[in-house]
Amino acid sequence: MVTGVLMILLVIMMLLLNSTFMESPVNRLSYVAFTDIGNAVSTRIVDVYALAPSDGTIVTAFDIPNDVAGRDYFVQIGQGNNPIDQDVRIYRDLADIHVSLAGIGASRGVIGNTTGRGLNRISYDSGGV
């Protein structure tokens, strides 16, 4: 009877250990990595805005990590919580991070999305195309 109770407690402990020792550090790592990726994308968009010609097109390519903690993620640039502001949203499963688009959202409309895979591209066309 004692052995049976101990086996049940062992099984319960094994189920709890996965969430405590595996998922919690992955979620913390994802939050920090997503914040860094959001800041990097925001900075690159602001750099393109600063170099944007009054008449013409500018295109730049950049690379962000392919995955975070062995899993894919998505990046979306669009309207933030405030209608004037825009933000960079990095998300996957339950992790969802919003980073401000460094103050250019009120003057220029920025929209787009990407994933971590491959080389990413930012383009600006003064004609609005």
Side-chain angles (χ1 to χ4, degrees), residues 73-91:
Y73 61 94
F74 303 96
V75 178
Q76 182 178 15
I77 296 100
Q79 188 171 352
N81 296 332
N82 187 344
I84 298 172
D85 296 334
Q86 289 188 324
D87 64 6
V88 179
R89 176 181 177 219
I90 301 93
Y91 62 96

Side-chain angles (χ1 to χ4, degrees), residues 31-48:
Y31 176 80
V32 171
F34 287 175
T35 302
D36 289 343
I37 292 167
N39 287 330
V41 171
S42 175
T43 301
R44 286 177 178 89
I45 292 172
V46 171
D47 289 347
V48 168

Side-chain angles (χ1 to χ4, degrees), residues 27-121:
N27 290 338
R28 254 182 276 141
L29 171 73
S30 297
Y31 176 80
V32 171
F34 287 175
T35 302
D36 289 343
I37 292 167
N39 287 330
V41 171
S42 175
T43 301
R44 286 177 178 89
I45 292 172
V46 171
D47 289 347
V48 168
Y49 171 73
L51 296 172
S54 59
D55 185 26
T57 303
I58 185 170
V59 178
T60 183
F62 66 98
D63 195 21
I64 53 179
N66 289 337
D67 57 20
V68 173
R71 295 178 13 211
D72 291 335
Y73 61 94
F74 303 96
V75 178
Q76 182 178 15
I77 296 100
Q79 188 171 352
N81 296 332
N82 187 344
I84 298 172
D85 296 334
Q86 289 188 324
D87 64 6
V88 179
R89 176 181 177 219
I90 301 93
Y91 62 96
R92 165 186 72 203
D93 299 334
L94 297 176
D96 190 3
I97 307 300
H98 292 262
V99 177
S100 175
L101 194 54
I104 68 166
S107 59
R108 296 275 187 216
V110 180
I111 191 165
N113 58 14
T114 187
T115 64
R117 298 287 176 193
L119 200 59
N120 302 291
R121 196 173 64 129

